[in-house]
Amino acid sequence: MQFEVFTLLPEVFPSYIDTSIIKRARERGLITVRVHNIRDYTHDKHHMTDDTPYGGGGGMVMKPEPIFEAIESVLGVDASFDDSLEEREASAQDVKIPIILLTPQGRVFNQSIAQELSQHDRIVLICGRYEGFDERIREHLVTDEISIGDYVLTGGELPALIMIDSISRLQPDVLGDPTGAQDDSHAMGLLEYPHYTRPPEFRGWKIPEVLLSGAHAKIDKWRREQALLRTYKKRPDMLEKADLSKEDKKFLEKLKNEEEREVRETSDEE
Ligand code: 6GU
């Protein structure tokens, strides 16, 4: 997987990508992160990458020329497209390289988008600063817009690092354990079950007995139920999309009934 990052702040990237799992993945050639400074693609004396908005109003807007030139120069193809769908398909779409604009207006990033993007060999990430981008960048260059959540950041650099991190760990062999990403929270549509390690008793707090039993079927069942319980309590919205078995549904039904009974009992006491 090759990430092509376009930014005005290239200095943000090295320390994170030179650390831990991402560093090892890069050293092993499993991923490549190339960071390009948009400012290198300006030709005026002041290396301007932004300008005031037509129509007035506050804030600065990122100019189209340096971004188009940077991406076309790095991809080595005419990455831009005209309004017609045919031309869209014959240019960037044809080489199948997602050109992603990082913006609070994009679709909200999640594990399933990470999985979808991890199938590509190469991805372009464009990080913005200032109030926004000249709209022609959206209309004629990018193929996708992504946000990392409903809040506003000062730029797309942290979102780009978040995407690089989550997509990299899905690449084959990046995680040491080949089943590493399978049980992740979100990967299976549920939050992950609780983990424990030594000691078996800490300050009087014991680990759940079942984990010491060595009975793998029992442990699997306990973990599944804990994952369901957690998701039910912390992220009930996720249960609507989760892939649930008959037993899962029965367990959740039992949880709901218990909860309702508790509510009734407390209101009876009053
Ligand atoms: Cl991708 N960019 C900015 N500037 N703010 C954000 C974001 C992106 N995602 C959430 N907030």
Side-chain angles (χ1 to χ4, degrees), residues 43-58:
H43 301 289
D44 59 304
K45 201 168 84 194
H46 300 289
H47 301 288
M48 263 182 43
T49 56
D50 63 325
D51 206 340
T52 53
Y54 275 117

Side-chain angles (χ1 to χ4, degrees), residues 128-130 152-157:
R129 288 263 139 186
Y130 316 115
V152 180
L153 302 168
T154 55
E157 285 75 18

Side-chain angles (χ1 to χ4, degrees), residues 101-105 128 130 146-157 159-160:
L101 193 66
L102 295 161
T103 152
Q105 298 184 17
Y130 316 115
I146 287 180
S147 159
I148 60 161
D150 292 341
Y151 42 84
V152 180
L153 302 168
T154 55
E157 285 75 18

Side-chain angles (χ1 to χ4, degrees), residues 4 29 37 48 68-69 87 110 114 120 139 189 235 264:
E4 306 284 1
N37 192 343
M48 263 182 43
F68 273 79
E69 185 175 322
E87 192 154 343
N110 60 24
H120 291 269
E139 290 171 344
R235 289 292 307 275
R264 252 179 287 126

Side-chain angles (χ1 to χ4, degrees), residues 183 185 188 191-195 222-224 226-227 230:
D183 274 359
S185 290
M188 51 180 196
L191 299 181
E192 218 180 328
Y193 53 78
H195 302 280
W222 180 83
R223 286 182 167 164
R224 183 75 188 175
Q226 289 294 312
R230 284 205 159 184

